[in-house]
Amino acid sequence: MDRKQVSKKDEIILQQLEVIRTMTENNLNRTGADFWGTPAAPGEAPAAPQADQPKADRPGNTASSTGNDATEPPEAETPPPPEKIEDLQAELEGYIGLAPVKKEVKNLINMVTVHRMRKEQNLPAADLSLHMVFSGNPGTGKTTVARIMARIYHSLGILSKGHLVEVDRSGLVAGYVGQTALKAKKVIDSALGGVLFIDEAYALNGGAENDFGQEAIDTILKAMEDHRDDLVVIAAGYDDLMDRFIHSNPGLESRFNRFLHFADYTPDEMMKIFEMQCKKGCYTLEAEAAGLVRGFIEEENTDPASFGNARGVRNIFEQILVNQANRLAAMEQVTREDLMSITPADVQAARGMESAAPVRESPAE
């Protein structure tokens, strides 16, 4: 084989590697965008987020994170028009699992709808408290449901914008006297018109003598009263810790009277989540590989809290894609079917059971 042929072969291999790298990166980005969402329509590959597009500005993304000291309210912009409540309910029903949560959300929608109708007919209508506590282990869909709840409230005319601002203790509590209230107020101002989602809210109740978490709680409680017509607060975290947190403060008890428990996913539901991501990413899971994936999930999911439910499934999915890419990189020619196929070898390599498929040797010259 002469040098020109070798150079041409190397060039083809490099081109294939770049295609594999790009597809893997796009699919991982797509996976992280909404892991609980409904699958793409048959034959339709969802567009991957643009690499240079800020996360908060991507289409369909209505959440902003404020878990740092540089919290600034987003620039004022025209809120999107309310979506059809029927479309939002259909989207919620498309999520895997979450049956009790779906039922409670439906009850809440019906209650708010009737409440609005009574007011329109000048009938007495009791004040509604729409603030909620979401409890459950990580990866059970709490943030995803909070996001769609913001859109539902916007559709029902409860909230003027329908966006979600996600924050934790670090985004609310400062380290010096007098700073926490200002920091918390900035976050609250950015959430007006939408939902303020406080993850691991129990961490605000630090209990130490010089802890400023209580100041953040007091600021939030005041805002819930001052902006009760255009702000919903959802506090989230582990079951027992959230129960103790809410009942540790009379102000919290009086304002948070709706509790939604997010149960751990069953192995069957986690397998459906994995299969959904294959469909969204245009991957074909071979029959033997499907059995190995299920075994992988069951093997890793000894503790739902540490495994992370759907987040654990996402990690497994990403590990398998990495090993699929390693297998494809060793092949001289890669077809469209190769790029789409997840094989038993890919799953076994991700589990550390054995290496992926052996490298194909070049045909004899």
Side-chain angles (χ1 to χ4, degrees):
M1 183 182 296
D2 59 31
R3 183 173 299 175
K4 289 184 179 180
Q5 288 176 314
V6 172
S7 298
K8 184 65 175 175
K9 179 180 176 181
D10 290 343
E11 182 180 344
I12 293 173
I13 291 174
L14 289 174
Q15 290 174 346
Q16 290 174 341
L17 287 173
E18 179 61 21
V19 170
I20 294 167
R21 184 197 67 77
T22 301
M23 289 194 68
T24 301
E25 181 180 278
N26 286 345
N27 279 297
L28 291 179
N29 285 338
R30 200 177 296 142
T31 297
D34 185 359
F35 204 70
W36 288 264
T38 52
E44 176 185 341
Q50 297 298 316
D52 58 349
Q53 188 176 10
K55 183 175 180 183
D57 295 334
R58 293 174 186 164
N61 194 326
T62 57
S64 58
S65 175
T66 56
N68 55 64
D69 289 339
T71 300
E72 291 293 342
E75 293 182 5
E77 56 183 23
T78 303
E83 301 168 77
K84 292 182 179 179
I85 192 64
E86 297 82 6
D87 293 341
L88 293 171
Q89 288 180 299
E91 181 179 334
L92 180 63
E93 286 299 320
Y95 294 158
I96 291 170
L98 303 173
V101 172
K102 293 173 183 176
K103 181 179 178 181
E104 288 299 321
V105 171
K106 184 177 180 180
N107 291 342
L108 183 60
I109 290 173
N110 292 339
M111 187 184 68
V112 171
T113 301
V114 172
H115 181 271
R116 184 182 61 186
M117 292 168 64
R118 287 183 62 89
K119 292 186 70 174
E120 290 172 353
Q121 296 297 326
N122 295 319
L123 292 171
D127 290 338
L128 287 178
S129 176
L130 301 177
H131 309 296
M132 292 181 284
V133 175
F134 286 2
S135 63
N137 285 325
T140 49
K142 295 187 292 294
T143 306
T144 298
V145 172
R147 185 177 294 115
I148 197 171
M149 286 305 304
R151 294 159 58 198
I152 287 172
Y153 284 148
H154 183 39
S155 173
L156 294 172
I158 301 298
L159 296 174
S160 61
K161 297 179 181 177
H163 65 299
L164 179 135
V165 172
E166 182 180 357
V167 72
D168 57 16
R169 176 188 165 92
S170 66
L172 294 167
V173 180
Y176 301 96
V177 175
Q179 291 185 340
T180 292
L182 295 174
K183 187 173 185 178
K185 187 177 183 304
K186 285 184 179 181
V187 175
I188 292 165
D189 287 345
S190 72
L192 292 180
V195 168
L196 175 61
F197 181 82
I198 308 173
D199 196 19
E200 298 182 349
Y202 48 78
L204 293 174
N205 193 6
E209 183 178 351
N210 294 324
D211 184 79
F212 302 109
Q214 185 58 49
E215 186 178 357
I217 293 173
D218 294 340
T219 304
I220 293 168
L221 290 175
K222 185 176 185 303
M224 292 167 71
E225 179 64 25
D226 293 345
H227 305 286
R228 59 182 179 275
D229 294 331
D230 204 21
L231 175 68
V232 170
V233 178
I234 297 177
Y238 291 101
D239 289 301
D240 293 342
L241 293 173
M242 286 305 299
D243 186 64
R244 288 199 295 267
F245 170 65
I246 296 299
H247 295 301
S248 69
N249 186 309
L252 293 172
E253 278 187 311
S254 65
R255 289 170 176 82
F256 289 99
N257 55 11
R258 300 188 183 282
F259 293 77
L260 287 185
H261 172 68
F262 288 70
D264 294 324
Y265 284 102
T266 66
D268 286 342
E269 289 170 340
M270 286 190 277
M271 191 63 202
K272 287 180 181 177
I273 290 172
F274 188 94
E275 291 169 347
M276 177 186 291
Q277 292 311 301
C278 289
K279 184 174 182 179
K280 289 173 67 176
C282 296
Y283 287 101
T284 302
L285 184 62
E286 296 183 3
E288 184 181 348
L292 291 170
V293 169
R294 185 183 179 91
F296 194 4
I297 291 172
E298 292 176 345
E299 179 183 272
E300 293 292 310
N301 186 36
T302 55
D303 179 5
S306 59
F307 178 66
N309 287 279
R311 293 180 191 174
V313 177
R314 178 173 59 196
N315 291 337
I316 285 177
F317 184 68
E318 293 176 355
Q319 290 175 42
I320 292 173
L321 291 191
V322 168
N323 283 279
Q324 185 222 35
N326 291 339
R327 175 176 58 82
L328 296 179
M331 297 168 58
E332 287 192 353
Q333 294 184 352
V334 179
T335 66
R336 176 182 175 86
E337 288 70 26
D338 291 329
L339 291 168
M340 295 173 62
S341 296
I342 294 178
T343 69
D346 302 327
V347 184
Q348 289 172 332
R351 295 179 69 175
M353 296 172 63
E354 58 182 65
S355 60
V359 177
R360 295 182 186 177
E361 296 183 358
S362 303
E365 294 294 335

